[in-house]
Amino acid sequence: MTSTTDDVSSLSRTAIPQRRVVRERSVRRGRLGVAVALMAVCALGAVALFGYVSRTQPYLAVARDVPVGAQLTAADLVTVHLNPDPGIASVSSNRIQAVVGKYTSVALLPGTLLNAGALVDKPFPGPGDQVVGLSLKAGQMPSTPLRPGATVLLVSTEEATQDKPTAAAPTIRATVVHVIAGARDGTATVSVAVRESDGPVVARLAAQGRLVLTLTAGN
C-alpha cells in the first residue's frame, strides 16, 4: 500500500511537457503584415506600369505590303504605341493626313514603322523614266545625306577623245529613288530615275565609274 502511494507521488512530481499554443492574435498580425506587403508591391507595380504606358506615343506603322512606287492610303497604315526613341525614324500618328497620298520610294513591309524618308511627293519612275543603280565612292557624291525624291545632277567625268575632243561632259538631271549605305564608309548604292533617253548613257558611265552626283538647290 505504501509502495503504490509513493509511485503516485513520484509521478505527480514528474514534469509533463505542455503543448505550445500559438496565440491567435499573433497569427493574425503576421497575416496582416504579409497582406500589407503584397498590397505595397502591387501598388508599386501599378505605378511603374502607369508610368511606362504614359510615356508611350502613337506612331504610324505599316499594316500590309506596299510595293515601291505605290500611292500610300490610310488602309496601308495602323497606329501603334511605343516609347519615343530619337534613334528610330518614325512618323507620329497625327501626321497621317500629311503622308497619305504620297508615293513609296521603297517597298514597305507590314509590322515596320513608317519612315518619312521612304515617301516622295511625285510618282516615280514616271512615264518615260528609267531607274539606274549607281555604285558611288567618297568624292563621287556629297557628304550630305541623300533622301529619296531629291533632285540631283549626274555629271560625267568622261575624258575627251579624238572623235569628240571638244565635247562637253554631259550633265543629266535625275531623281533619287533609293539609297543603300555601302560596307565601307563613304560608299553607297544610289538608285536614280532618269529620262528614258538618258538611261543607257547613265548606265554606261556608271559602269565605268565616270559619274559624279551633285545636289541641286532646295534639297
Side-chain angles (χ1 to χ4, degrees):
M1 192 68 182
T2 302
S3 177
T4 302
T5 302
D6 293 340
D7 293 339
V8 173
S9 300
S10 177
L11 290 174
S12 63
R13 289 193 301 267
T14 303
I16 300 177
Q18 300 293 326
R19 180 178 299 178
R20 187 177 179 181
V21 178
V22 180
R23 293 183 179 180
E24 184 178 356
R25 182 176 298 179
S26 299
V27 175
R28 290 182 178 179
R29 287 182 178 177
R31 292 179 178 176
L32 180 60
V34 174
V36 171
L38 290 175
M39 291 176 62
V41 172
C42 292
L44 291 175
V47 171
L49 180 61
F50 176 78
Y52 175 82
V53 173
S54 62
R55 290 194 301 268
T56 61
Q57 300 293 331
Y59 295 100
L60 294 176
V62 182
R64 57 188 181 183
D65 287 308
V66 183
V68 60
Q71 190 172 25
L72 197 66
T73 67
D76 297 325
L77 303 173
V78 65
T79 300
V80 296
H81 289 79
L82 300 171
N83 282 329
D85 188 343
I88 299 178
S90 54
V91 180
S92 177
S93 62
N94 58 11
R95 294 187 55 203
I96 186 170
Q97 297 301 326
V99 297
V100 167
K102 290 192 174 185
Y103 297 85
T104 58
S105 61
V106 296
L108 303 181
L109 301 178
T112 58
L113 289 175
L114 180 66
N115 188 338
L119 304 176
V120 293
D121 296 328
K122 298 179 180 179
F124 65 88
D129 287 347
Q130 285 187 351
V131 177
V132 182
L134 312 176
S135 181
L136 303 177
K137 302 177 182 179
Q140 291 182 290
M141 58 183 174
S143 58
T144 303
L146 297 174
R147 301 184 182 279
T151 301
V152 297
L153 292 179
L154 305 178
V155 181
S156 170
T157 59
E158 188 175 19
E159 297 178 354
T161 63
Q162 294 181 351
D163 296 335
K164 298 179 181 180
T166 59
T171 300
I172 300 171
R173 185 175 295 271
T175 302
V176 177
V177 177
H178 192 210
V179 180
I180 301 176
R184 297 180 179 179
D185 292 339
T187 64
T189 299
V190 183
S191 296
V192 295
V194 297
R195 291 181 301 177
E196 189 173 0
S197 57
D198 293 329
V201 177
V202 173
R204 176 176 58 83
L205 294 174
Q208 297 174 352
R210 296 184 179 277
L211 275 179
V212 174
L213 185 150
T214 64
L215 277 173
T216 62
N219 291 288

